[in-house]
Amino acid sequence: MELAKHVPLKKEGKMNLKKWVLALGLIISSRVFAEGALHAHEHGSIDFEVAVEGKTAEFAMKGPAESFIGFEHAAKTAKEKKVLADTASMWNTNFFELIRFDKNLNCTTSMAKFEHIMDKGNHSEIEAGIKVTCEKDLKATKISVNLRSYFKKIKNLKMEIVGSETRAIKITKPKMDVTL
């Protein structure tokens, strides 16, 4: 109970019941709020993060499934299952179509992950991650972010690059060059 450390609960050697109830109420309400926030999302908004260190870059992407596959329910029809499988395949095996690196860097991918995560309602998210390892240092390397070219329903693509410094970039075009 981290919050309890900051709220004095004793007054002259006796438990201050009002402060204890207040602290407990804040803890419970913050947990309920946090659990609800896990499922809140804005259609068309994607969070895209890149952590760069030396010759490696780790990418993580999260957003409403509708932005990637056009629906949020569990894939039911053969067409929906194909769309989901094709999108996962694009991320896992054709990542360099989505994010282009200079071929002279001789980069490879590993640890690819693409998940369609359902909540209890009729909403779902895509969470994806991948590690890129190159033969040369990635500092100041330009990459071409093509996510909006492939996923037309992405309207707001927020990219955060963490390396020697942290930068936030809004990707406003279907294809946009960014320096790592």
Side-chain angles (χ1 to χ4, degrees):
M1 284 202 233
E2 195 67 20
L3 184 59
K5 289 183 195 175
H6 304 289
V7 179
L9 300 177
K10 291 188 177 186
K11 187 174 183 181
E12 298 176 13
K14 293 185 179 181
M15 179 67 72
N16 184 331
L17 187 59
K18 286 182 183 178
K19 288 185 180 181
W20 175 250
V21 170
L22 175 64
L24 187 59
L26 287 172
I27 292 167
I28 291 170
S29 65
S30 66
R31 286 187 180 169
V32 168
F33 177 75
E35 287 174 15
L38 291 175
H39 300 294
H41 62 241
E42 181 183 339
H43 289 196
S45 290
I46 305 302
D47 292 322
F48 189 54
E49 299 170 350
V50 186
V52 182
E53 186 174 350
K55 298 177 184 180
T56 64
E58 292 190 31
F59 293 82
M61 179 175 66
K62 181 178 181 181
E66 182 270 340
S67 302
F68 299 99
I69 58 177
F71 57 90
E72 290 204 1
H73 54 270
K76 297 173 188 162
T77 67
K79 182 179 178 182
E80 289 173 344
K81 290 176 183 176
K82 181 176 178 357
V83 167
L84 182 58
D86 289 350
T87 305
S89 177
M90 175 62 99
W91 180 267
N92 292 332
T93 60
N94 295 315
F95 180 76
F96 293 126
E97 291 296 314
L98 299 171
I99 309 297
R100 295 204 174 147
F101 284 74
D102 182 335
K103 291 187 189 293
N104 293 327
L105 293 170
N106 295 319
C107 301
T108 59
T109 61
S110 62
M111 300 187 335
K113 170 191 103 149
F114 185 94
E115 294 181 84
H116 183 207
I117 300 170
M118 298 294 303
D119 73 2
K120 293 177 184 174
N122 205 23
H123 291 282
S124 64
E125 302 223 341
I126 297 296
E127 288 186 10
I130 198 164
K131 182 177 182 178
V132 174
T133 305
C134 304
E135 289 182 3
K136 298 178 182 175
D137 196 302
L138 294 173
K139 186 175 182 179
T141 296
K142 284 194 181 200
I143 60 172
S144 182
V145 179
N146 302 315
L147 290 167
R148 293 184 68 188
S149 295
Y150 287 92
F151 305 114
K152 305 290 186 202
K153 293 190 179 224
I154 294 176
K155 304 294 181 221
N156 184 20
L157 179 57
K158 298 171 281 186
M159 182 174 186
E160 183 174 29
I161 302 170
V162 179
S164 56
E165 60 184 56
T166 300
R167 296 178 290 134
I169 300 168
K170 185 171 182 177
I171 305 297
T172 57
K173 300 174 186 173
K175 180 180 177 182
M176 191 167 154
D177 291 341
V178 173
T179 303
L180 296 178

